[in-house]
Amino acid sequence: HLIATTEPLAKQWLFAVIEALPHDKFVLLIVTLWATWTAWRKAIPESNFQSPHATHIFVQLYISELEAIKKV
């Protein structure tokens, strides 16, 4: 779905992806994009580099916390 979406504008691409993906996959996508953007923002001005593995672990833990909150 992500590759097939050819929207040139980020906002339109996001709306197309919302319609194309199931909710759990969309949440995974958004949290991954957010974590990647945050890691990049820390790396450029602060020279605080985070490994891809650390970003992946953060995404997994964050989504598991979201799932735990939904069950409460």
Side-chain angles (χ1 to χ4, degrees):
H1 295 291
L2 298 178
I3 295 171
T5 306
T6 59
E7 293 292 337
L9 301 173
K11 188 176 182 180
Q12 299 302 330
W13 178 84
L14 189 59
F15 288 138
V17 170
I18 287 172
E19 294 176 3
L21 291 178
H23 180 72
D24 59 333
K25 298 295 183 187
F26 180 71
V27 170
L28 176 62
L29 171 69
I30 294 302
V31 172
T32 303
L33 289 173
W34 172 59
T36 304
W37 179 79
T38 302
W40 179 78
R41 295 285 296 167
K42 288 180 181 178
I44 300 303
E46 301 172 11
S47 296
N48 182 5
F49 295 96
Q50 184 175 346
S51 72
H53 179 70
T55 304
H56 176 71
I57 295 299
F58 172 80
V59 169
Q60 287 181 329
L61 291 174
Y62 192 84
I63 290 178
S64 68
E65 287 180 16
L66 287 175
E67 292 295 323
I69 291 171
K70 282 198 308 190
K71 292 178 182 177
V72 172

